[in-house]
Amino acid sequence: MSFVDRTMKKIAIQRARIFDSVSGVVGPESTLVIDHGRIDGVLPGKHEVADADMVDAGGRVVTPGLIDCHVHVTAVDHDVFRLGFMPPSLITAQAKGVLEGMLMRGFTTVRDAAGADFGLRTAIEQGHFRGPRLFIAGHPISQTGGHGDSRKSGQQEMICTCAGLGLFGAIADGDAAVRKAVREQLRNGANQIKVMAGGGVASPTDPIDGTQFSVAELAAIVEEVEAANTYAMAHAYSPRAITRAVQAGIRTIEHGNLLDAASARAMKSAGAFLVPTLATYHALGNDGNMGFSDAMMAKLEVVRDAGINALAIAKSEGVAIAFGTDLLGRHHPQQSIEFTIRAAVMSPVEILQSATSVAARVLRQEGKLGVLTVGALADLLIVDGDPTRDASVLAQPEKSLKFIMKAGEIVRNQL
């Protein structure tokens, strides 16, 4: 079968043991009916469906398509400074392989946390590129000297690509400037806004445990996103940065490696989500040729081993945990290792829910994504092995994913 079948025929998948991502239970063998890209019916037992192409799942577990809530599809190089010198056309060309790789690992939807623009999203929607559907943030909003400010000490001018690809921030200081920066990203098609609310590893001048933006600036950003009926996601590591962000109305905390019980309770009280990205620290820590400065490597050491502890704290305090990876450059193929790393703290069902129903809630796509119910988009995987008993089967997608479908289109069929 071709790589992508765009015929959009009615398809019935028999003998499917469907994973209910909300309840966390795998059901008995059923028949899934897909029509015009959506789930049209879920029938108990084995059924022949008129005018439908039949697929036999063979009693395997069928899950919703996976959702990664923190990716950078245009981070085709792990060196964000070198990325700034690359022409947008070359970044886009290389992003094609990044996107295809994600789709073939079972990720039918991803939330880009800075870099991708509306043109790349449209290219996927129109079928020019094969990849997951994109929810984009555009440029991250950063204060001067913040995590999105890539200038080294003494450098005055900002370097960025003319098309906005890459990871460089929209630098803004003060109420009027942050509002304009948010509005500019929304004008350019951002689905959500990324805010640098604390220090980061891959930035040269900011402390990892510092806070960024004043409370008033954060509140202004939140007011603007709410006016546009969307939300803000915040890069934050330290308890102080996390607490300030969620109290200002930020909806999701990215990374959060230094989370403590008090800041977790603040998140729970605010109804905020945590999006850990443990895969990137695993990849960075095992790669001795990153070209990071000594200061960056020191910051990496502070947060790398703290991520699992933060995940345990968030779980114990009842914080909703979504799936994220945050990989760059040559590390993108390690995306699925997140399923294995999280197993130290989370159950297989919890890990799978983080990448399906919980992630759909982050995207405000409940009932449309992350579930296999009537009316939902037909994003689904047929899995060899039971990921609700051992989530690590998803860490070997080339072996375990026998069938991948995105919006009713067959991407892989190895049944």
Side-chain angles (χ1 to χ4, degrees), residues 8 12 102 122 154 222 231 240 266 408:
M8 299 298 287
M102 290 180 175
T122 304
V222 170
Y231 68 94
R240 189 162 52 115

Side-chain angles (χ1 to χ4, degrees), residues 281-298:
Y281 307 104
H282 172 86
L284 289 169
N286 291 332
D287 191 334
N289 187 30
M290 294 303 301
F292 281 9
S293 68
D294 290 343
M296 291 179 186
M297 290 304 296

Side-chain angles (χ1 to χ4, degrees), residues 394-410:
L394 296 173
Q396 295 183 303
E398 68 284 352
K399 295 180 180 179
S400 64
L401 302 186
K402 296 301 181 184
F403 186 94
I404 302 172
M405 174 180 282
K406 177 192 168 190
E409 298 171 356
I410 298 173

Side-chain angles (χ1 to χ4, degrees), residues 3-4 8 31 44 62 80 90 112 123-124 187 222-223 234 290 334 356 380 386 407:
F3 189 85
V4 175
M8 299 298 287
T31 300
V62 179
V80 296
L90 180 58
D112 192 86
I124 295 170
R187 182 185 72 83
V222 170
E223 185 176 8
M290 294 303 301
Q334 299 186 47
T356 52
L380 61 88
D386 187 346

Side-chain angles (χ1 to χ4, degrees), residues 35-238:
D35 195 10
H36 289 87
R38 293 187 178 271
I39 306 294
D40 190 51
V42 182
L43 310 175
K46 182 178 179 180
H47 286 263
E48 297 293 327
V49 179
D51 302 321
D53 288 349
M54 307 303 296
V55 174
D56 187 354
R60 295 179 178 88
V61 173
V62 179
T63 75
L66 304 173
I67 304 170
D68 190 330
C69 286
H70 194 119
V71 303
H72 296 286
V73 301
T74 60
V76 297
D77 194 313
H78 68 272
D79 187 333
V80 296
F81 309 113
R82 189 161 57 221
L83 196 63
F85 290 95
M86 291 176 62
S89 54
L90 180 58
I91 293 175
T92 302
Q94 293 186 51
K96 178 178 183 290
V98 174
L99 290 161
E100 287 185 358
M102 290 180 175
L103 184 59
M104 298 308 287
R105 289 188 287 273
F107 292 94
T108 52
T109 301
V110 297
R111 184 178 65 156
D112 192 86
D117 67 2
F118 70 95
L120 198 53
R121 182 180 63 199
T122 304
I124 295 170
E125 291 170 352
Q126 294 183 353
H128 302 297
F129 280 7
R130 297 162 177 159
R133 68 180 57 79
L134 281 179
F135 287 77
I136 65 170
H139 286 300
I141 313 300
S142 173
Q143 69 175 37
T144 296
H147 183 49
D149 188 341
S150 63
R151 295 172 297 174
K152 299 178 181 179
S153 296
Q155 180 184 334
Q156 298 302 315
E157 296 300 320
M158 191 71 177
I159 300 170
C160 66
T161 55
C162 60
L165 300 175
L167 304 180
F168 291 102
I171 309 301
D173 302 289
D175 184 281
V178 298
R179 290 180 186 275
K180 182 177 180 180
V182 171
R183 292 170 183 174
E184 190 69 15
Q185 303 317 305
L186 294 169
R187 182 185 72 83
N188 282 312
N191 300 106
Q192 68 280 333
I193 295 297
K194 170 79 172 290
V195 181
M196 301 305 197
V201 172
S203 44
T205 61
D206 54 331
I208 197 74
D209 56 352
T211 63
Q212 295 177 14
F213 287 119
S214 68
V215 172
E217 287 170 322
L218 291 172
I221 290 168
V222 170
E223 185 176 8
E224 290 299 323
V225 296
E226 290 181 346
N229 298 319
T230 186
Y231 68 94
M233 56 191 293
H235 166 105
Y237 282 111
S238 72

Side-chain angles (χ1 to χ4, degrees), residues 341-355:
I341 299 172
R342 292 189 180 207
V345 172
M346 301 174 72
S347 72
V349 167
E350 290 169 337
I351 297 170
L352 192 51
Q353 287 176 315
S354 77

